[in-house]
Amino acid sequence: MAWMCSGGTNSELVENLHDAGIITSERVISAMNRVDRAHFSRHNPYEDSPQSIGFGATISAPHMHGYALEHLQEYLQPGMSALDVGSGSGYLVACMAAMVGENGHVVGIDHIPELVQGSQAALEKNYKEWVESGRVKVVTGDGRKGFSEGGPYDCIHVGAASPETPVELLAQLKSPGRLFVPVGRMSQQVIVYDKDDKGDVKEKKVMGVIYVPLTDPEKQLD
């Protein structure tokens, strides 16, 4: 699925995602138009395929970010809070921040310090007011354990495959709340976990995917 070459534009990419039925929410469309992928990806930012950002990491293909925002948009309303695990380039963090608005709060966490530094620099350069106001924050840490200091969260997105149900992340969800995460080792599925207002959790398999594993920095850098 590669609609756009590197010579396209961000608005054309978003339009193509909409035309393909991947993004339908006006709020998602607005956020993806507001946040230019070229601010976070040096290589082929408008091509619908993963792109390397160094250190064994990639920025996910635009259609995967579109699917994630669509599935989470109910929990990315103005004033809500979100966590992006394996935040990498910082792109999805920025999209989430665009959706939760000035009274919302988004944290991105990644275990590679250089990626956190790079995403911080991109956010400060292009969305400085969001950083200064505390709407958006990126930190270095083991995302498998979440980031309890910023929680609990209305929603959590995970950008790498968890080998099994990530119970520590589920514990940091509000009631109600939603977790969007690839799960599996050889065979992976994106699973949406919904926690209801009583704290009970239900899961729904969304699609088969191929993601890098949620792992230690040393294994990622091998």
Side-chain angles (χ1 to χ4, degrees):
M1 191 183 297
W3 302 308
M4 298 301 298
C5 66
S6 58
T9 66
N10 194 70
S11 61
E12 288 174 327
L13 173 61
V14 175
E15 183 178 354
N16 283 337
L17 292 172
H18 176 252
D19 289 346
I22 291 171
I23 56 176
T24 58
S25 162
E26 288 299 325
R27 296 181 61 250
V28 172
I29 293 168
S30 176
M32 294 186 79
N33 274 318
R34 173 71 178 85
V35 179
D36 195 324
R37 280 177 67 91
H39 295 156
F40 299 92
S41 176
R42 296 179 182 179
H43 309 293
N44 306 318
Y46 310 127
E47 185 172 308
D48 193 41
S49 61
Q51 300 295 324
S52 172
I53 54 174
F55 307 97
T58 62
I59 178 174
S60 294
H63 71 272
M64 285 308 305
H65 282 147
Y67 280 129
L69 292 171
E70 281 288 330
H71 280 89
L72 295 173
Q73 60 99 10
E74 182 181 347
Y75 297 89
L76 289 170
Q77 299 293 323
M80 289 186 170
S81 61
L83 175 67
D84 184 24
V85 175
S87 52
S89 70
Y91 170 75
L92 196 65
V93 171
C95 289
M96 288 175 155
M99 293 179 71
V100 300
E102 61 183 10
N103 295 318
H105 180 60
V106 181
V107 177
I109 185 168
D110 202 286
H111 59 198
I112 303 296
E114 292 87 350
L115 292 179
V116 174
Q117 293 162 11
S119 61
Q120 179 74 24
L123 289 165
E124 288 180 349
K125 179 179 179 181
N126 300 290
Y127 309 94
K128 186 176 181 180
E129 69 278 13
W130 296 356
V131 177
E132 291 180 342
S133 68
R135 187 198 299 198
V136 65
K137 174 181 181 180
V138 286
V139 298
T140 303
D142 187 345
R144 294 171 296 186
K145 299 178 180 178
F147 187 70
S148 59
E149 295 95 315
Y153 304 95
D154 293 283
C155 68
I156 298 174
H157 169 269
V158 184
S162 175
E164 54 197 20
T165 300
V167 293
E168 291 190 69
L169 298 181
L170 284 171
Q172 292 179 30
L173 275 183
K174 291 182 181 179
S175 297
R178 177 170 289 180
L179 168 62
F180 181 101
V181 54
V183 178
R185 298 179 188 271
M186 298 300 291
S187 176
Q188 301 171 2
Q189 291 269 346
V190 168
I191 297 181
V192 170
Y193 294 91
D194 279 318
K195 182 186 286 189
D196 66 20
D197 54 5
K198 297 178 181 179
D200 296 326
V201 176
K202 293 183 179 180
E203 64 178 75
K204 178 183 178 181
K205 293 181 179 178
V206 175
M207 69 186 84
V209 291
I210 301 174
Y211 270 74
V212 297
L214 198 60
T215 187
D216 300 315
E218 295 77 11
K219 291 181 181 178
Q220 181 173 321
L221 293 170
D222 279 347

